[in-house]
Structure formats: C-alpha cells, structure tokens
Amino acid sequence: MGLQALFSGSEEAPDVPGLGIIEGQLKRFDETQTSTAGGSGKGRKSVPCIGWNSASLLPNQDSASGPDEDETRKSFYGLEDWRKYYYVHSYFAPYSPGCELERQGWTVATAKYGDETYAGAIGKGNVFATQFHPEKSGEAGLRVIEAFLEGKMWTDGTIRDLIPTTESIQAQQDMRPESSTNGLTRRIIACLDVRTNDDGDLIVTKGDQYDVREKTTRSNTTTTSPSSSSSTTPNHPAGRVRNLGKPVTLASKYYAQSADEITFLNITSFRSCPLTDLPMLEILRQTSLTVFVPLTIGGGIRSAIDPATGATVSALDVAKLYFASGADKVSIGSDAVIAAEEYYARGEKLSGETAIETISSAYGCQAVVVSVDPKRVFVDGPASTTAHPTLRTQHPDPSTGREWVWYQCTTHGGRKSHPLSVQALVLAVERMGAGEILLNAIDRDGTNSGFDLELVRAVKEVVAIPVIASSGAGRPEHFEEVFRETRADAAVGAGIFHRGEYTVGDVKGWLGAKGMVVRRD
Ligand code: 1PR
C-alpha cells in the first residue's frame, strides 16, 4: 500500500488525518535547498521529486548506525541496494537512525533527495509499504511485487537474483555519488510523436523542425527516410508522413533498452476531438501490459465537444480516460498556452477551472506535464525592443547577425505563434499546478545538433518544478552536455532512437562512462 497513508498526518493537508498506524508527520521537500548541478552554478532542488532513486538498507552515509551486518546481506522484499526505483512525490516521511519508525519496529529502506533522507519502503509483520512505485520501476519493481506476493520479507543471499551479475557490478560502479542530481539518476525519456499517416494507420513519426513529411526532389519521389515503407505521394507534393514504426512496438523496444519513461504525443490532436481518438487509448492499454515505467500521453488534453453526443466533455474527463488506460501523466500543450494568456489577462489570478488546475487537483501535480513548443525570435537588442525577456545568444541569426532572442510560445505544431514568452508560460502553469515541463525547441527539433542549452537554462531559472530538455539530441554526447551545462532534470531522445542510430543503452553507457549516474535494468 501507499506508505504515506500509514502516518498520522502530513503538511500536505494538515486537517486530514492519516491512518495513524505510524506516529509522525510527513514533510514537504525543501525546494530552497541548492544543488551544484550542471556546472551552471547553484540552483534550487526540483519539487516534486521525480525520478529514480535507491531504496537501501545500507547504513546511511551520515549515520553512525544501521541495520546489523546480517540484514545487509539479505534482500528486504526483493529490494537491492544497487537497483533504482521510480519515485514521484513532494512530501516524504523523514528518516534518521533510531527514529520513531524504527522504535516501532519497522524495517526501513531509505532514499535521499539532496540532504533530506526519507523512508523509501517500510515493512513490519505482513505490512509492506513503499514510497516509490514498484509497478513503474521496471524489472526491479517487479521483483519487489513478486517478493511481496510470495510473502518473502527476507530472502537470503543464495537466491539467483542476489548473485552479482556483470550488470549489477557495472551499476555499482556507476553509483559514484553525483551531488548535482540530488540523488536521482540521469533520466532518459524516449518520446514518440504519433499521428495517422496518409493511409489511416497510427504510426510514430518524426519531423525536422516539426515538419513530419518526407522531403521530395520531385513531387512524387521520396528521398529522405530510408525507413519509410512508402515511396510515392500523389496527393502530397510535400511528401508522405514519415513512418518510423509502430507505437507499441517501439515503446516495448525502448523499455527493453532501459528507457526511464515513455512519452506518446498525439501530434495532430488539434484536428479531432479527443474522444474519437480511441486508438491512442488502445496504444496505452497495450503498452502498459508490457512496459513498466511511467507513461505520459499528450495531445488533445482539453475540454471538447463529443461529436457522438454533442455534450461538452471536460479536460478532466478526457484525462481520466487516459489514466484509466494506463497513463501516469498527461501532457498539455496548446491548452496551457491559452490558460496562461487568460491568467495574465485576469491580472495573474487563478480561475480554478483550467485543465491544469482541475487535473492537478484531482490527480496531483506530478500527473500534469506541460509541453512547450517555443521558437527563437531575434530582436535588435535587449529589453528596449520587446516586452519579453531576452538573452544574448551564442548562436546569432545567420542571415542578419542579430544576437538577441526571446523564446516565443507556439501552438498547433508550431504553426500558431502567441505573444507569450516561454518564461511567462512556465511561471503561470507552475502556479496553476503543473508538475513538470516538457521543454521542446522548434529550432532544434530533428536537427541532431544538440539541445538548446540557453533555453533550458532560461526556464530552469524561473521554475522549481522539474524540466525535461527535449529536441536536438543526435549523439550521446548531447545528453552529457545538457546534463553538464544545465540543470535539466531529464532529457528526451526521439529521432536518435527511432532511426536506430543509438539505443537508450548506448546513451546511458556514455553517461555512465562520464561519471553520471544512470539506471541500468
Ligand atoms: O497541443 O495539447 O494537443 O499537444 C500536442 C502535442 O504535440 C504537443 O506536446 C506538441 O509538442 C506536439 N507536437 C505538435 N506538432 C508536432 C510536430 O512535430 N509537428 N511534436 C509536435 C513535438 C517534439 C518532441 C520531439 C522532440 C525531440 N515534438 O516530441 O520528440 O522535439 O525530437 P528530436 O530528439 O528528434 O530532435 P496539444
């Protein structure tokens, strides 16, 4: 069961009592704590805490005491010290050696986020509770569920799973402390842009700066994508939609390669009502049968008219359909831009009715990602020429040489520009209750030229929620660069994986070799 419900209360809702089986209050992570991430100076700790961390019985580095030697050789409900588990939470049960939990006879496996040590899993008698999500923690989590179902609170070191493997030894080597991540691993997300192709099939595609059609030299000849199964395009002089594979097949492949999360974006959702979009629900259902890491679904999360009934369906109801089909998070794009514009038009007042607010309040902020599609707009100089926040870029406009840019929000696959900066957007949606930002960059998308570091830094400067860097990854070095040079909480790869140039494992192998902590299972 969920660990937090066992306690007597929480800062999250002081008036709502917990079950009170354990005496004690849950605390909120301190987001003002600083980390030295990314070589870019100090920064706040992201809250909510989203990512992969340990659940370890090993004595805490800061503690003098710990479990006795015998216990450290055993596995507590299949947990292993070298493995990583998926956590997503803003509140935690503080742990210190000899704390109330231990006085009450609970065995505690701990995790540490920055300087805050907390209970990752606890057990006593036939009660076992975890702060992490075992069902979303890959193979490691499945072992925990199996041990629980078999009633194996303790397994000794002789069983197959506890024999060190090459993989576990490598993983232990990779676990050299990295202060910049506050204890989390470097999170790699595979992103699948999904749409219907010209034949009506739901496929994974990938654009160059959001143009997903094949480039043609003549009106009906395909020239750019070796993986496309089609070669002519009588109705589309611009070329057919690039077909890079089937969504469920690719998601399973990336899970097997150790992707930490999978994101599906329905990139043409604005053309149809979400309720008619049943194939995306089916994709989620099928994927969640075999993929045990968090799944995000984006595209069309907004209130809409159901063409079947003529009734208005709220964004919350649309999101419910996706959660019921296996999604852990929904990603909101266009609707977030509109909501932010209205928020500023109201004088920075919340309405309580936006998709972000309603879904976040029903499911928690960690379930709401806001996907942003900014593009660079060059201006002559700093603030004097635009009301939006500008920065001096290392990559000036090649045609005019202008060095100052601001990042403008777009919707409709980059086709519609809004008079709203990316900074204004993320500030507004964080206030509304978004839990994470998926930060695309139209100028970098599909270019294989690396992430837009300037954009990531600009956004990390203004929000405390986690930021996922997206767009531009072409080589494993690009992931290293974005983690080293910015405080990105996670990074996305799309084309790099779909084209088969590198696997997720290749990227993690590179990061591990460079001293960055990654999950490997
Ligand atoms: O507006 O809530 O219905 O959501 C629509 C969603 O579809 C948004 O999240 C928007 O970002 C996305 N989208 C719309 N059009 C496109 C397009 O490509 N034509 N894709 C699109 C956005 C960006 C990432 C991509 C990275 C990495 N794609 O998904 O994975 O840029 O690519 P790379 O590593 O190959 O460079 P709504």
Side-chain angles (χ1 to χ4, degrees), residues 190-193 205-212 263 265-270 298-302 331-336 370-373 411-415 438 440-442 444-448 451 470-474 479 492-496 498-499:
C191 185
L192 286 69
D193 288 1
T205 191
K206 184 69 213 88
D208 293 333
Q209 298 176 310
Y210 286 29
D211 178 3
V212 297
T263 294
L265 295 178
N266 176 0
I267 65 168
T268 48
S269 61
F270 58 86
I301 313 291
R302 66 176 82 94
S331 164
I332 301 175
S334 310
D335 200 66
V370 166
S371 168
V372 197
D373 299 316
T411 54
H412 296 71
R415 287 183 201 83
L438 171 58
N440 304 304
I442 294 183
R444 293 295 176 112
D445 174 72
T447 62
N448 300 337
F451 296 93
S470 171
S471 305
F479 290 88
V492 156
I496 182 177
H498 306 333
R499 293 185 298 268

Side-chain angles (χ1 to χ4, degrees), residues 282-356:
E282 190 52 30
I283 284 173
L284 273 174
R285 279 187 212 112
Q286 287 182 27
T287 303
S288 54
L289 293 177
T290 55
V291 174
F292 302 104
V293 291
L295 302 177
T296 302
I297 182 87
I301 313 291
R302 66 176 82 94
S303 64
I305 309 280
D306 185 346
T309 62
T312 301
V313 183
S314 71
L316 178 58
D317 284 336
V318 174
K320 272 182 193 164
L321 285 174
Y322 287 117
F323 290 132
S325 304
D328 300 284
K329 315 182 203 180
V330 292
S331 164
I332 301 175
S334 310
D335 200 66
V337 175
I338 294 159
E341 287 179 331
E342 290 173 356
Y343 165 80
Y344 287 110
R346 274 194 307 272
E348 304 189 19
K349 288 205 177 65
L350 296 173
S351 75
E353 288 167 6
T354 61
I356 298 169

